[in-house]
Amino acid sequence: MEETNKSVVDDCFTSAMALTDSGVLHVPTRYILPPSQRPMLGSSIGSDTITLPVIDLSLLHDPLLRPCVIHEIEMACKGFGFFQIINHGISSSVVKDALDAATRFFDLPVDEKMLLGSDNVHAPVRYGTSLNHSTDKVHYWRDFIKHYSHPLSKWIDLWPSNPPCYKEKVGKYAEATHVLHKQLIEAISESLGLEKNYLQEEIEEDSQVMAVNCYPACPEPEIALGMPPHSDFGSLTILLQSSQGLQIMDCNKNWVCVPYIEGALIVQLGDQIEVMSNGIYKSVVHRVTVNKNYKRLSFASLHSLPLHKKISPAHELVNENKPAAYGEFSLNDFLDYISSNDITQERFIDTLKKNNL
């Protein structure tokens, strides 16, 4: 693993955190976005904060209240593709420990982190910066470590050994989000009129990639981004964030800030749900802004069907009046796509849409 990854330690790799720590007053040219893509922080456009639906997930366990919660989820999925959840069953101590482990990892010396460095999107564990520093035309003010996380016993030995607490603390959070994902997929399936166990077999064998992101303080946040506009490839993303920074694109193509709520998690619909629902639900385009005064951490738990499992519109949601609007695809198809295409130029899901959409 380490021998394979060492090839990425080259002169062109400089992490965003290293730049912040060096005290740069201006972002290097490679991070500067074209004027039309800049976040326009502080302006009236793109800085509005909307209140996304906040759903009390504990009420799913009450047979009398479950139908009401399912309806709330349906409305949130149709209206936003995003919602926030409270009383989700993941304890505040597990959340705090995961954020603490991530902080300790990103504070390690660069040489230590680079033992896990890779520009191979298929690598089961990889540390990097931007999206893929070796191919990005514009770079993004973000460092990350991504690792496969389910089943945990299969992958955890490849995770960082430093800090020593990382495997235990992040492992507990990964397991908790996997359980939560199953509850959410059942509820979303119900909200579409499908059996709640519609994807049960796939969930048991699903892929979970944990993307742990660090967005250091940026000297010029108005001309850079932490992540470019994109939608997530999988079924659901469960997002934990240490502070505000996420923005979604609304129906008028304006950028809107997603408010930070202490203790809440954000649920984002991915491309697989858009395809499965035959377009009833949409995966929403989102991006990440950066801040001049503080560092932001996030855990994006990216859940998808097994690597080679194809997903297509559910038969129950296809008929003469509503023919299948998408072709089928797998997680592996997505990884192959991003290996040779610029996702800032064309969304992967747009390549799946049929002419009848």
Side-chain angles (χ1 to χ4, degrees):
M1 178 76 182
E2 291 181 4
E3 290 301 316
T4 302
N5 289 335
K6 283 179 183 176
S7 64
V8 306
V9 184
D10 53 44
D11 292 338
C12 72
F13 185 97
T14 304
S15 71
M17 202 159 173
L19 289 170
T20 297
D21 290 345
S22 72
V24 293
L25 299 178
H26 302 283
V27 299
T29 303
R30 64 182 180 275
Y31 290 92
I32 299 175
L33 293 163
S36 63
Q37 298 176 25
R38 295 176 188 176
M40 294 186 292
L41 300 175
S43 68
S44 58
I45 299 175
S47 61
D48 293 334
T49 298
I50 59 170
T51 302
L52 290 177
V54 179
I55 296 174
D56 186 341
L57 215 61
S58 66
L59 302 180
L60 278 176
H61 306 298
D62 185 327
L64 294 176
L65 296 175
R66 185 178 177 91
C68 295
V69 181
I70 297 297
H71 179 69
E72 287 182 33
I73 289 173
E74 178 188 0
M75 292 298 99
C77 290
K78 284 182 175 176
F80 298 96
F82 273 63
F83 54 95
Q84 304 205 57
I85 52 175
I86 57 173
N87 297 324
H88 41 67
I90 302 182
S91 71
S92 58
S93 61
V94 168
V95 167
K96 181 178 179 297
D97 283 351
L99 289 169
D100 174 66
T103 299
R104 291 169 182 260
F105 173 80
F106 288 112
D107 282 344
L108 290 172
V110 172
D111 289 349
E112 176 79 19
K113 291 180 285 193
M114 285 304 295
L115 293 174
L116 298 167
S118 177
D119 54 13
N120 176 10
V121 298
H122 293 275
V125 179
R126 67 184 182 108
Y127 164 74
T129 190
S130 189
L131 290 178
N132 189 332
H133 83 280
S134 64
T135 58
D136 290 342
K137 294 175 183 175
V138 176
H139 286 235
Y140 297 93
W141 202 263
R142 164 208 185 218
D143 297 341
F144 66 86
I145 180 164
K146 291 184 176 182
H147 39 66
Y148 289 171
S149 302
H150 179 76
L152 192 62
S153 58
K154 180 178 179 179
W155 302 113
I156 196 167
D157 287 344
L158 300 176
W159 288 14
S161 297
N162 279 322
C165 66
Y166 189 92
K167 291 178 180 178
E168 179 187 359
K169 290 182 175 181
V170 177
K172 284 183 178 179
Y173 179 73
E175 288 183 313
T177 51
H178 190 264
V179 171
L180 178 58
H181 169 251
K182 182 178 180 180
Q183 295 177 32
L184 289 164
I185 283 291
E186 289 179 351
I188 288 169
S189 296
E190 274 189 69
S191 75
L192 286 165
L194 303 171
E195 292 293 324
K196 76 172 186 178
N197 295 327
Y198 180 79
L199 290 175
Q200 182 175 4
E201 182 180 337
E202 288 83 354
I203 291 172
E204 296 302 327
E205 302 172 3
D206 76 351
S207 167
Q208 179 185 12
V209 176
M210 191 67 73
V212 188
N213 303 301
C214 176
Y215 304 98
C218 176
E220 295 179 291
E222 67 279 359
I223 61 173
L225 282 172
M227 283 281 280
H230 68 286
S231 60
D232 294 333
F233 61 85
S235 56
L236 294 181
T237 299
I238 300 171
L239 182 73
L240 163 66
Q241 56 179 355
S242 63
S243 58
Q244 186 168 296
L246 184 67
Q247 293 185 336
I248 65 170
M249 181 178 282
D250 68 14
C251 59
N252 298 315
K253 298 192 179 298
N254 290 324
W255 288 106
V256 190
C257 297
V258 176
Y260 171 76
I261 298 176
E262 182 75 31
L265 296 172
I266 292 171
V267 179
Q268 305 171 185
L269 300 192
D271 292 344
Q272 288 181 344
I273 292 293
E274 179 169 336
V275 170
M276 183 192 79
S277 74
N278 203 27
I280 296 172
Y281 297 162
K282 296 289 197 294
S283 56
V284 178
V285 176
H286 54 285
R287 69 182 184 182
V288 178
T289 59
V290 286
N291 189 283
K292 191 169 188 173
N293 300 313
Y294 57 80
K295 171 175 67 178
R296 176 178 175 267
L297 296 174
S298 75
F299 277 75
S301 186
L302 300 146
H303 300 265
S304 64
L305 272 61
L307 187 64
H308 296 285
K309 177 73 175 180
K310 300 279 188 178
I311 192 164
S312 57
H315 294 304
E316 296 88 337
L317 303 176
V318 175
N319 55 50
E320 287 185 9
N321 297 323
K322 181 73 172 175
Y326 303 83
E328 64 179 12
F329 82 100
S330 68
L331 169 58
N332 197 63
D333 294 333
F334 171 79
L335 293 175
D336 287 343
Y337 178 83
I338 64 171
S339 296
S340 55
N341 293 274
D342 183 353
I343 64 168
T344 66
Q345 299 301 311
E346 183 178 27
R347 294 172 62 199
F348 172 68
I349 196 166
D350 289 339
T351 69
L352 305 173
K353 292 177 180 177
K354 297 186 176 181
N355 293 333
N356 53 295
L357 234 191

